[in-house]
Amino acid sequence: QVQLVESGGGLVQAGGSLRLSCAASGRTFSNYAMGWFRQAPGKEREFVATISGSGRGTYYADFVKGRFTISRDNAKNTMYLQMNSLKPEDTAVYYCASAKTSYTNTRYSQYDYWGQGTQVTVSS
């Protein structure tokens, strides 16, 4: 079975930073693209960022461009999301996910394994 475990969430003031991690096991990590999604209370889950299996390709949602950086360390089977200049509207549960292919994907349906999420709360 594939397991994904997020960590690094917490409470931070607006303008601050957090670094989320996603540790993966159960498959050949470098063969699959990964992604981050988030879900705020009362809202649908939305795409945040994705990274190709090799780590060479990345793509971001418009609302995080210039603030967030996705990366991965295939030797450690771990993906990261560095979040800077956080805003209250970034408050959500953040989920890591493993895609069905090695290519970057923005759609929820293109991911077949999901972590349980980590809470990020940004105060004003």
Side-chain angles (χ1 to χ4, degrees):
Q1 292 184 329
V2 174
Q3 293 181 310
L4 303 174
V5 181
E6 301 97 335
S7 62
L11 176 65
V12 64
Q13 292 182 326
S17 298
L18 285 173
R19 183 178 174 86
L20 306 184
S21 298
C22 175
S25 62
R27 60 165 50 176
T28 304
F29 185 64
S30 62
N31 285 354
Y32 300 93
M34 299 286 290
W36 289 98
F37 290 74
R38 70 186 188 186
Q39 188 166 26
K43 296 187 177 181
E44 295 182 348
R45 190 169 298 188
E46 64 182 350
F47 166 77
V48 176
T50 181
I51 186 166
S52 64
S54 69
R56 294 181 179 272
T58 60
Y59 186 80
Y60 299 89
D62 287 343
F63 55 80
V64 302
K65 287 181 179 177
R67 299 192 297 124
F68 292 7
T69 302
I70 189 170
S71 62
R72 66 193 295 162
D73 186 340
N74 287 344
K76 297 180 178 179
N77 285 2
T78 303
M79 176 181 64
Y80 306 95
L81 184 68
Q82 178 66 47
M83 305 185 294
N84 299 327
S85 301
L86 284 162
K87 305 174 181 179
E89 51 263 45
D90 294 320
T91 295
V93 177
Y94 283 71
Y95 298 89
C96 70
S98 180
K100 297 177 181 179
T101 73
S102 65
Y103 302 104
T104 56
N105 290 284
T106 63
R107 291 186 292 171
Y108 182 96
S109 63
Q110 297 303 304
Y111 292 82
D112 52 1
Y113 295 99
W114 295 82
Q116 296 191 76
T118 185
Q119 177 71 48
V120 172
T121 302
V122 184
S123 62
S124 301

